[in-house]
Amino acid sequence: MMPPEIVGVKMEPERLFDSVNILLSLQIKNGGLAAWEPAGALKWLEMLNPVEFVGDFVIEHELLSAQHQQCRLSFGSRSYTPNIGKGRLIISLKMPDGSWYGSWGVCFTYASWFELAGLAAAGKTYHNCLAIVRGVEFLLNSQTDDGGWGESYLSCPNKKYTLLEGNRSNLVHTGWALMGLISSGQAERDPTPLQRAAKLLINSQMEDVTGVFNTNCMLHYAAYRNIFRLWALAEYVRWVPMP
């Protein structure tokens, strides 16, 4: 634990419960979450979108990253009855190849990390949840020769997984995939893919587009390359036995 003079006084548990209550109040009828408010408008309204370069802009849509965060918060609060419907929603949004389509990050790699972690928070495991098995298979099958992952921004508008040109790796994508596999228990099954990814993160410094807003507006989040690489390596050190 970090000292209080650095991080401040420890928060009372009731404050955390209040945060969970706010998230639950924003939940959509089918168990999902949107970005700003509960989604409920008719989807045909998107046909009236006046913005040429931004998709899915007119109404609220479910965000898989939001489902993951609510799973982690609500299941992590022992005073709440587990929201089993949340896990079912995540599973229902899975793509045929085992991945999930994401928002805010590029794209299937980003969402697959979130959803594998969310399902794990909901009590699902590789041994009792086919969606986790398929998600793990997707990530392992898309790992590049150098041990990383690299997904093109074209995955977002085309809604089909697309490798970076030249099968290059991207450090942020590699961090996302590494954390998704760790949350699925990959270290217990075969840590080799995790070790290869960690080695790449430690020894490389390269970057590509990693952020996206509403399907086809690509963004460069400058902090991503530092935050997610360090986060992934911290998770690796915590959960993966040293070779």
Side-chain angles (χ1 to χ4, degrees):
M1 298 291 290
M2 297 184 69
E5 54 266 24
I6 295 178
V7 298
V9 180
K10 183 178 179 180
M11 185 180 296
E12 294 296 327
E14 289 74 15
R15 299 283 299 279
L16 298 176
F17 298 157
D18 290 340
S19 300
V20 173
N21 283 332
I22 290 175
L23 283 176
L24 293 176
S25 73
L26 297 173
Q27 195 171 25
I28 307 168
K29 291 182 179 180
N30 68 356
L33 281 175
W36 289 281
E37 61 185 13
L42 298 174
K43 293 186 178 181
W44 66 263
L45 290 171
E46 286 291 356
M47 298 175 62
L48 305 177
N49 184 357
V51 184
E52 295 181 355
F53 62 90
V54 178
D56 298 332
F57 179 74
V58 175
I59 66 173
E60 286 278 22
H61 296 270
E62 297 165 349
L63 297 178
L64 283 170
S65 55
Q67 333 295 13
H68 154 263
Q69 295 294 359
Q70 190 184 34
C71 259
R72 296 194 69 173
L73 282 172
S74 57
F75 280 98
S77 177
R78 295 182 181 179
S79 65
Y80 288 86
T81 300
N83 183 357
I84 302 302
K86 175 65 62 179
R88 287 200 300 266
L89 176 64
I90 292 175
I91 293 171
S92 72
L93 295 174
K94 182 174 59 65
M95 304 293 287
D97 65 356
S99 67
W100 287 265
Y101 180 84
S103 301
W104 304 107
V106 178
C107 170
F108 295 97
T109 310
Y110 177 75
S112 295
W113 159 45
F114 272 118
E115 301 328 305
L116 287 172
L119 289 171
K124 306 292 186 181
T125 72
Y126 184 88
H127 303 290
N128 67 19
C129 180
L130 181 59
I132 291 182
V133 175
R134 296 295 314 285
V136 168
E137 290 175 350
F138 164 76
L139 289 177
L140 292 178
N141 289 337
S142 56
Q143 190 171 24
T144 56
D145 292 339
D146 62 5
W149 281 261
E151 184 175 357
S152 170
Y153 72 91
L154 294 173
S155 293
C156 302
N158 296 337
K159 298 188 176 181
K160 180 180 179 181
Y161 182 79
T162 306
L163 289 168
L164 279 173
E165 186 176 357
N167 289 349
R168 294 178 291 114
S169 290
N170 175 287
L171 297 185
V172 175
H173 300 166
T174 299
W176 292 339
L178 176 57
M179 288 189 284
L181 289 173
I182 288 174
S183 67
S184 76
Q186 183 65 34
E188 290 76 30
R189 295 187 298 274
D190 177 13
T192 303
L194 309 179
Q195 293 162 355
R196 295 176 62 217
K199 182 178 179 179
L200 179 71
L201 289 177
I202 293 169
N203 294 305
S204 302
Q205 294 182 1
M206 53 186 175
E207 209 49 66
D208 291 282
V209 172
T210 54
V212 60
F213 177 74
N214 285 65
T215 305
N216 56 0
C217 183
M218 301 304 134
L219 301 172
H220 175 64
Y221 293 123
Y224 270 26
R225 60 187 176 188
N226 297 323
I227 292 172
F228 289 111
R229 180 161 60 167
L230 291 174
W231 187 355
L233 288 174
E235 291 290 293
Y236 176 82
V237 170
R238 181 182 182 188
W239 296 109
V240 182
M242 292 297 102

